[in-house]
Amino acid sequence: MSRYTICPEASMSCLSAALLLLGAILLGGSSALAQSDSDVYNRIEELHGDAASFDRPLRQLVRAMRSGDAETIAGLAEYPLTVKANGETYDVENAEDFIDNFDDLVTPETRRAVGRQQYEDLFVNSDGVMMAGGAVWMGAVCDDTACEASHWAIIAINN
């Protein structure tokens, strides 16, 4: 018997229990793994600091995606911005370039998904805050070399 075996006898009851648990998680959807707004806020604060300043650009982005407001979205981005769309990777150099190519750079599916984004469904890690299943990432971008000040910006779009 291996010392790493979770179920020593590999019995059907152990296997059944594992499958039942997996099924409950899948059928329960995100509620089995739910996080609250405060969980997300605290995770942003823990990893990036100044979580309070994230709310405004997030709300602006969600509204702009709903309405297809390319100018607002462009103003929320950090350049150069890497955008993956239509099987290609683009390095967008500035807001004007983003606005001129908006329909090719941000798919309708991404706009809809970000437009429906709920705060408690955000994913936060040391890279930033992911929304819409990875379609858009925002990060705290340093304003100076010491990173004593920062601002939240779109740092990647992955249609």
Side-chain angles (χ1 to χ4, degrees), residues 11-30:
S11 68
M12 283 305 290
S13 62
C14 191
L15 180 59
S16 297
L19 290 173
L20 183 61
L21 178 60
L22 177 61
I25 290 171
L26 293 174
L27 288 175
S30 62

Side-chain angles (χ1 to χ4, degrees), residues 3-151:
R3 31 183 254 185
Y4 300 107
T5 303
I6 295 172
C7 298
E9 290 79 40
S11 68
M12 283 305 290
S13 62
C14 191
L15 180 59
S16 297
L19 290 173
L20 183 61
L21 178 60
L22 177 61
I25 290 171
L26 293 174
L27 288 175
S30 62
S31 63
L33 304 171
Q35 59 184 359
S36 68
D37 286 1
S38 63
D39 291 336
V40 173
Y41 182 93
N42 291 338
R43 183 81 172 146
I44 293 170
E45 186 65 35
E46 172 189 342
L47 293 175
H48 303 283
D50 198 14
S53 69
F54 177 70
D55 186 62
R56 184 171 185 232
L58 173 65
R59 290 180 191 279
Q60 289 174 326
L61 178 61
V62 169
R63 277 193 305 269
M65 285 287 193
R66 281 185 195 148
S67 65
D69 182 353
E71 290 82 12
T72 296
I73 298 166
L76 292 167
E78 185 70 18
Y79 298 97
L81 175 67
T82 300
V83 177
K84 294 180 181 176
N86 308 309
E88 301 285 332
T89 300
Y90 304 96
D91 291 319
V92 181
E93 295 299 320
N94 54 53
E96 182 180 347
D97 191 20
F98 184 88
I99 294 165
D100 289 347
N101 296 288
F102 179 72
D103 289 329
D104 294 324
L105 296 173
V106 185
T107 65
E109 295 81 15
T110 294
R111 289 181 228 167
R112 278 191 297 276
V114 175
R116 292 189 307 258
Q117 181 66 52
Q118 297 296 310
Y119 194 87
E120 66 269 8
D121 295 328
L122 295 169
F123 172 79
V124 183
N125 69 17
S126 60
D127 293 326
V129 180
M130 178 186 83
M131 57 196 73
V136 176
W137 281 83
M138 293 186 82
V141 178
C142 294
D143 293 331
D144 54 49
T145 55
C147 204
E148 292 178 3
S150 64
H151 67 279

